[in-house]
Amino acid sequence: MDVDEDALEYHEQEPAGKLEIATTKPTNTQRDLSLAYSPGVAAPCRRIAENENEAYQYTAKGNLVGVVSNGSAVLGLGDIGAQASKPVMEGKGVLFKRFADIDVFDVELDESDIDAFVRCVAAMEPTFGGINLEDIAAPECFEIETRLREKMDIPVFHDDQHGTAIISGAALLNAVEITGKTLDDLRIVFSGAGAAAVSCAKFYVSLGVPHENIVMSDIDGILSEERAQAGDLNPHAEPFARGVEGGELASAMEDADVFVGLSVGGVVSQDMVRSMADDPIVFAMANPDPEIGYVEAKNAREDTVIMATGRSDYPNMVNNVLGFPFLFRGALDTRATEINEEMKVAAAEALADLAKKDVPDQVRDAYGDQPLQFGPEYIIPKPLDPRVLFEIAPAVAEAAMDSGVARTEVDLEEYRESLEARLGKSREMMRIVLNKAQTEPKRVALGDGEDEKMIRAAAQMEEQGIADPVLIGDERQVEATTIDLGLDFDPEVVDPEDGGHDGYADRLYDLRKRKGVTRREATELVQHDPDYFGSVMVEQGDADVFLTGLAHHYPSALRPPLEVVGTAPDTDYVAGVYMLTFKNRVIFCADATVNLDPSADELAEITRHVAALARRFDVEPRAALLSYSDFGSVQTAGSAKPREAVSILHDDPTVEFQVDGEMQADTAVVDGILDDTYGFSELDGPANCLVFPNLEAGNIVYKLLQRLGGADAVGPILVGMDDPVHILQRGDDVKDIVNLASVAIVEAQEN
């Protein structure tokens, strides 16, 4: 594969480059344009002229960062100039937007003079909420950042200096914990004395490493006081000159606990790693070739070598994208005047803590076979872990407020929830349900309790305070898997085969004795089929919720709950509902999993169920019964069913939600069609509850919307049961299990 050719093709595809400007307000009418520009724009201008801080309220300043460079030290390309640096700066903008929803203007300044560069950037303060300096050569970068921080009242952050420091600092905290070392006893050796190395060394001191325990080496050897006195050192590196004899990197590494490489590839040998102290920590971060290869370092010794690099093809990649988007997110949202040391330390500590938590399945899937469990091969989170945003940014925001640089206060719990919402509408909707679940946790029985995903889901339910989970399965196997997963979790386990559940067998026999089940068969079903065991458990009130189906086909997993728990009073039918979330819309689709060809009565009952479900998510239901016909435009048996179901619902005085049909799908979801053509409709806006005429249509449409329409799907949510029971889809991940449990817990609270 020719990476260069692929990259050139990637960048030149229309539109060229990687960024564009998009409008965030309607611009469809003359009125829209008059508000966006003349004459309406004068009103916010006057407000800002009276109070400059109102720019944060009336403009995009509060979510806009300037990525600024002169191209004097670009990646591994060196001084290639401002124009040639533009693809990199655009790329930085992509990362800001992708990981923290921050907008960026990239600014390439053809200016090498420090005074002129500082004047140019400082003059742009009215435009931006923060400045990210990028790829500026040392030692000029130190002075530029220092002077801009003094001049500007918004955060100024040179990522090449501080980004690596923060991420490697998080890795250091966890490596020290794993090896049993302590920060105040560490001996650290640096290879490299440039901007990143000096910033890392200073940051490690902020974390608790004694300044005198750090030795720094460059291409000419160890930084010594003798070299400093001779004027041989970068003045910013001089504080790390040691009162020792000059020497080479190899001598400095003898008995060192930590090696930090920010220099060039291949300067460290296996013998040098062997000379280090027990269980050495090796951060070889030169790119693209580290100071010593991952395999070579690991094979150099028989004890534990904790290894980190700057490469994505090995564990523990020190990647700046884990830092700068979330630092700026927290800084922007508190309108901080700067990004200070307290905020950087908070980011590193939060990253270190996140690495100790169970990793979501979507992250595991993205990284294939790499080990993603806290330990020597996983000491920092992965960049694609969505939790980094709502773990790091709140820590940064809190530090900004505590250290006095925030100009606005945020409620940290509400702030965390708003950050989750930035990751998608589904997270926003599920947060509503999770919050409700936390108010009154319930006892949740989990079939397939020996499955790794079920165990991890149970641990998350307990950690989030939404449930008291009960795993149905072999206790020894559950315990062994829990230990293997490294979970700090002591689950409650119920084993159907331990012979102590005769009461459940009696109850199952009583329920099914006239349906062909003998007493002996009832005992066997309870002992050997967790779906029957869990169903009886819920029916008897020993659990409030039952989830199953992870390892079974949906119909076979649904049968035991239907036979044992049955439908709710005054309910004849159950249905499967998917909640589909788009960027600015949520819809509930029913029935997608249960009823093959529902009658008009069934469609009416399914509609009642889906409307009640929508209200659990604080969505006021507007239900549309779908067809290929619009309000009688086609007269067939197929279009008559939804039409009759709507009549049943309109005649029912207990129905207190908007419902109409039959109607085509676009009529239901496009506001203009209802208003312009069918003004008589009972719906006062686009439908959010779509009821399909049969299972085939419902299943096809929800999958198309999910795969081609970019919708996130939560479900299937089983509605109409007498007790909260949900059937998982085979292959569902831990997030799906926890989400369905939350929905079921809220349902149990209402029962």
Side-chain angles (χ1 to χ4, degrees):
M1 180 178 69
D2 190 329
V3 175
D4 286 351
E5 287 300 318
D6 288 348
L8 290 171
E9 182 181 351
Y10 172 88
H11 282 80
E12 73 177 350
Q13 289 175 358
E14 290 294 333
K18 301 187 285 286
L19 298 176
E20 67 177 5
I21 294 176
T23 58
T24 60
K25 300 294 188 297
T27 56
N28 301 316
T29 67
Q30 177 59 39
R31 175 172 170 76
D32 291 340
L33 295 178
S34 70
L35 294 175
Y37 197 55
S38 180
V41 74
C45 288
R46 285 192 292 267
R47 286 288 184 89
I48 296 168
E50 294 169 2
N51 180 359
E52 288 190 352
N53 285 333
E54 295 204 12
Y56 287 96
Q57 181 175 347
Y58 294 113
T59 76
K61 176 185 175 83
N63 196 52
L64 186 62
V65 167
V67 175
V68 184
S69 180
N70 62 5
S72 57
V74 179
L75 298 176
L77 303 175
D79 186 357
I80 61 174
Q83 190 70 76
S85 75
K86 188 172 178 64
V88 178
M89 303 313 127
E90 283 189 355
K92 199 68 178 264
V94 169
L95 299 179
F96 267 109
K97 190 65 177 178
R98 163 63 177 81
F99 290 102
D101 195 25
I102 292 172
D103 297 317
V104 160
F105 289 159
D106 60 290
V107 180
E108 293 75 32
L109 297 177
D110 189 10
E111 184 57 74
S112 58
D113 180 76
I114 291 177
D115 292 337
F117 190 94
V118 169
R119 280 197 304 272
C120 287
V121 177
M124 293 188 288
E125 182 167 349
T127 302
F128 297 110
I131 297 292
N132 182 100
L133 299 172
E134 193 74 15
D135 291 350
I136 301 170
E140 292 84 358
C141 62
F142 293 103
E143 185 172 352
I144 287 172
E145 185 190 43
T146 299
R147 288 170 58 177
L148 285 173
R149 291 186 64 178
E150 292 171 352
K151 280 179 170 288
M152 303 182 79
D153 204 26
I154 58 175
V156 177
F157 183 81
H158 186 209
D159 188 42
D160 297 322
Q161 292 184 55
H162 309 297
T164 302
I166 292 166
I167 313 311
S168 67
L172 181 67
L173 291 174
N174 280 338
V176 166
E177 179 177 330
I178 291 168
T179 58
K181 301 175 187 282
T182 60
L183 289 170
D184 54 8
D185 286 332
L186 285 184
R187 290 188 63 252
I188 301 180
V189 173
F190 278 81
S191 175
V198 170
S199 294
C200 283
K202 289 180 178 179
F203 188 65
Y204 296 172
V205 172
S206 296
L207 292 177
V209 176
H211 186 282
E212 61 272 16
N213 285 11
I214 296 175
V215 174
M216 194 168 285
S217 174
D218 63 11
I219 193 171
D220 295 316
I222 295 173
L223 274 59
S224 64
E225 290 183 354
E226 181 181 0
R227 289 182 61 192
Q229 292 167 1
D232 186 32
L233 300 182
N234 170 350
H236 296 279
E238 280 188 11
F240 292 97
R242 308 264 38 96
V244 296
E245 292 275 340
E248 301 300 321
L249 177 62
S251 61
M253 287 182 64
E254 291 180 7
D255 296 323
D257 297 291
V258 182
F259 167 78
V260 179
L262 290 158
S263 54
V264 294
V267 297
V268 173
S269 68
Q270 286 186 311
D271 284 340
M272 292 161 74
V273 174
R274 292 188 189 103
S275 75
M276 296 177 69
D278 293 343
D279 299 323
I281 299 165
V282 178
F283 293 171
M285 296 180 286
N287 260 324
D289 299 315
E291 285 79 2
I292 182 171
Y294 177 85
V295 175
E296 289 79 9
K298 297 290 281 189
N299 290 341
R301 326 174 41 123
E302 294 184 357
D303 59 356
T304 300
V305 178
I306 297 184
M307 177 75 172
T309 70
R311 294 178 55 134
S312 61
D313 50 350
Y314 294 116
N316 300 326
M317 179 188 184
V318 177
N319 190 326
N320 285 17
V321 78
L322 279 168
F324 66 85
F326 317 107
L327 273 165
F328 272 99
R329 182 77 274 160
L332 291 173
D333 293 335
T334 56
R335 299 184 190 174
T337 57
E338 65 175 346
I339 293 175
N340 59 23
E341 203 70 9
E342 292 89 341
M343 295 160 74
K344 292 186 286 184
V345 169
E349 291 176 344
L351 271 175
D353 288 341
L354 180 57
K356 300 171 188 175
K357 297 183 179 181
D358 188 44
V359 180
D361 288 333
Q362 68 187 93
V363 182
R364 292 171 181 262
D365 293 342
Y367 287 93
D369 296 331
Q370 289 192 22
L372 299 181
Q373 181 177 319
F374 182 62
E377 306 300 296
Y378 182 71
I379 56 176
I380 42 177
K382 294 294 186 181
L384 292 178
D385 191 330
R387 301 171 301 168
V388 177
L389 174 62
F390 50 85
E391 292 289 344
I392 310 311
V396 172
E398 183 176 18
M401 293 186 290
D402 290 346
S403 62
V405 299
R407 284 178 287 198
T408 186
E409 298 284 316
V410 297
D411 179 288
L412 290 173
E413 190 58 39
E414 292 178 2
Y415 179 51
R416 181 187 175 95
E417 292 180 13
S418 73
L419 292 170
E420 285 195 66
R422 286 182 180 273
L423 297 178
K425 192 72 175 176
S426 63
R427 283 186 174 272
E428 179 182 352
M429 300 303 297
M430 284 311 309
R431 176 48 59 184
I432 293 170
V433 173
L434 282 165
N435 287 344
K436 290 181 179 180
Q438 287 171 341
T439 64
E440 188 183 350
K442 295 294 183 179
R443 188 171 166 84
V444 176
L446 300 169
D448 310 309
E450 298 155 3
D451 189 283
E452 174 186 315
K453 289 182 180 179
M454 276 298 196
I455 296 170
R456 291 169 51 216
Q460 288 191 22
M461 291 178 208
E462 185 175 279
E463 180 184 358
Q464 294 182 26
I466 64 171
D468 297 317
V470 182
L471 293 161
I472 300 173
D474 182 271
E475 185 169 5
R476 287 172 296 182
Q477 188 171 337
V478 171
E479 181 180 357
T481 303
T482 303
I483 293 171
D484 288 343
L485 291 171
L487 297 175
D488 184 16
F489 173 53
D490 185 17
E492 180 180 352
V493 183
V494 177
D495 187 348
E497 297 186 16
D498 67 8
H501 305 288
D502 290 343
Y504 285 2
D506 292 340
R507 180 56 178 163
L508 180 59
Y509 174 63
D510 189 48
L511 290 169
R512 304 297 297 173
K513 62 188 177 185
R514 294 184 179 274
K515 302 291 177 64
V517 175
T518 66
R519 179 61 177 77
R520 181 174 180 176
E521 288 171 335
T523 299
E524 291 178 351
L525 287 172
V526 165
Q527 288 183 346
H528 302 300
D529 190 329
D531 293 342
Y532 277 102
F533 185 94
S535 298
V536 178
M537 192 176 183
V538 169
E539 195 271 343
Q540 288 289 279
D542 294 334
D544 303 296
V545 170
F546 178 48
L547 264 64
T548 189
L550 194 62
H552 305 87
H553 289 293
Y554 193 91
S556 61
L558 178 59
R559 187 178 302 110
L562 285 176
E563 292 178 355
V564 176
V565 177
T567 59
D570 302 321
T571 298
D572 296 315
Y573 312 103
V574 298
V577 182
Y578 276 91
M579 181 180 75
L580 299 181
T581 59
F582 302 84
K583 184 174 182 180
N584 295 309
R585 177 181 291 191
V586 57
I587 61 173
F588 297 85
C589 295
D591 174 12
T593 60
V594 180
N595 299 284
L596 287 172
D597 189 18
S599 66
D601 285 334
E602 288 175 276
L603 287 175
E605 191 165 299
I606 290 168
T607 305
R608 294 187 186 95
H609 291 328
V610 71
L613 176 65
R615 283 179 168 151
R616 269 183 225 134
F617 287 88
D618 291 348
V619 173
E620 187 57 33
R622 292 189 298 272
L625 281 84
L626 301 183
S627 174
Y628 51 85
S629 168
D630 271 325
F631 302 103
S633 63
V634 178
Q635 299 290 336
T636 66
S639 63
K641 276 198 312 179
R643 192 181 315 142
E644 182 182 347
V646 169
S647 295
I648 294 170
L649 292 165
H650 283 173
D651 291 340
D652 184 350
T654 67
V655 172
E656 297 179 344
F657 58 88
Q658 297 176 35
V659 56
D660 215 336
E662 86 284 13
M663 66 179 75
Q664 294 181 8
D666 55 348
T667 302
V669 299
V670 178
D671 198 15
I673 298 178
L674 282 173
D675 286 347
D676 298 342
T677 308
Y678 304 106
F680 57 82
S681 171
E682 297 288 331
L683 304 186
D684 63 10
N688 49 37
C689 297
L690 304 181
V691 180
F692 293 91
N694 55 53
L695 179 61
E696 187 174 28
N699 196 268
I700 290 171
V701 169
Y702 106 77
K703 289 184 176 179
L704 282 174
L705 288 173
Q706 182 183 13
R707 299 300 181 183
L708 299 182
D712 288 331
V714 176
I717 303 169
L718 196 61
V719 293
M721 297 291 292
D722 195 21
D723 291 304
V725 175
H726 291 290
I727 311 301
L728 300 159
Q729 297 277 49
R730 297 178 74 182
D732 275 353
D733 63 23
V734 173
K735 179 188 70 174
D736 298 320
I737 301 169
V738 175
N739 284 346
L740 274 180
S742 304
V743 173
I745 290 162
V746 173
E747 182 184 354
Q749 292 171 350
E750 296 172 354
N751 285 354

